[in-house]
Amino acid sequence: AQSVSQHNHHVILSEAASLELGCNYSYGGTVNLFWYVQYPGQHLQLLLKYFSGDPLVKGIKGFEAEFIKSKFSFNLRKPSVQWSDTAEYFCAVTPMDSNYQLIWGAGTKLIIKP
Amino acid sequence: DVKVTQSSRYLVKRTGEKVFLECVQDMDHENMFWYRQDPGLGLRLIYFSYDVKMKEKGDIPEGYSVSREKKERFSLILESASTNQTSMYLCASRPVYNEQFFGPGTRLTVL
């Protein structure tokens, strides 16, 4: 079965630290890739997406992600986190033969200490 | 801006009650989705609809049904609520092959 793995369920960092959240998926074909963020008390919103082209994609609030096809990975990065980045982050994948479904990772709760 | 609204932010129901959760989107999106979100489990798809009157089961459809009579509205129905259906319910919509836009969620507690 297709699946998405997020390696860390909880991450705690200090402000200004660098961030990398891992995401791996199990599907051999073409995929669309997404990172969503859910700030405390707010709805899920798109952080960035990859459909095709440059495998390094930039999103909102200084986040970026790199698609490495050979590793089936789409890791999220930010060079210097802020307290306001405290949130839950979800990786999601749409296999292109699925038509409709997003396959979700379990999420990573990120806490930034001021 | 895309707007997805859900009828209630918080809902408390008793075991055995029939529960209706409503979702409305204002961007003429073809696809709509219902998920439940539980800690440590991420989002699990209950049902989705790719067009009016069309529906498909997701990963956990048992105990739920849906209705899509109009393009902008997608309803989730708990026929007989049970305590294990206490959860956060998220509605989403999207144009085909694009990202999903989410509503604020309904936190349902079944006593």
Side-chain angles (χ1 to χ4, degrees), chain A residues 55-67:
Chain A
L56 184 63
V57 292
K58 297 193 183 299
I60 60 171
K61 304 190 181 186
F63 286 91
E64 65 179 31
E66 185 174 13
F67 172 47

Side-chain angles (χ1 to χ4, degrees), chain B residues 21-59:
Chain B
L21 302 181
E22 300 280 331
C23 175
V24 177
Q25 50 98 358
D26 66 356
M27 285 301 292
D28 202 37
H29 288 167
E30 290 83 0
N31 303 159
M32 295 188 76
F33 305 80
W34 275 107
Y35 294 93
R36 60 179 284 176
Q37 182 181 15
D38 300 288
L41 297 178
L43 276 70
R44 292 182 291 168
L45 182 65
I46 305 171
Y47 267 96
F48 64 97
S49 168
Y50 48 90
D51 207 344
V52 177
K53 297 191 186 294
M54 309 299 279
K55 60 186 180 185
E56 293 283 342
K57 292 180 180 179
D59 301 318

Side-chain angles (χ1 to χ4, degrees), chain A residues 53-98:
Chain A
D54 188 344
L56 184 63
V57 292
K58 297 193 183 299
I60 60 171
K61 304 190 181 186
F63 286 91
E64 65 179 31
E66 185 174 13
F67 172 47
I68 304 178
K69 190 174 182 180
S70 60
K71 295 185 177 180
F72 301 93
S73 71
F74 191 54
N75 292 353
L76 181 70
R77 301 195 292 246
K78 186 170 183 178
S80 176
V81 294
Q82 301 171 307
W83 177 79
S84 57
D85 293 324
T86 293
E88 191 161 16
Y89 293 81
F90 293 92
C91 180
V93 173
T94 296
M96 289 308 293
D97 63 359
S98 76

Side-chain angles (χ1 to χ4, degrees), chain A residues 36 38 43 49 99-100, chain B residues 37 94 97-100 103:
Chain A
Y36 281 83
Q38 189 172 33
H43 62 275
K49 64 183 178 183
N99 290 333
Y100 306 109
Chain B
Q37 182 181 15
R94 71 168 189 187
Y97 287 125
N98 214 325
E99 74 261 27
Q100 295 184 9

Side-chain angles (χ1 to χ4, degrees), chain B residues 17 54 69:
Chain B
E17 280 192 81
M54 309 299 279
E69 296 296 317

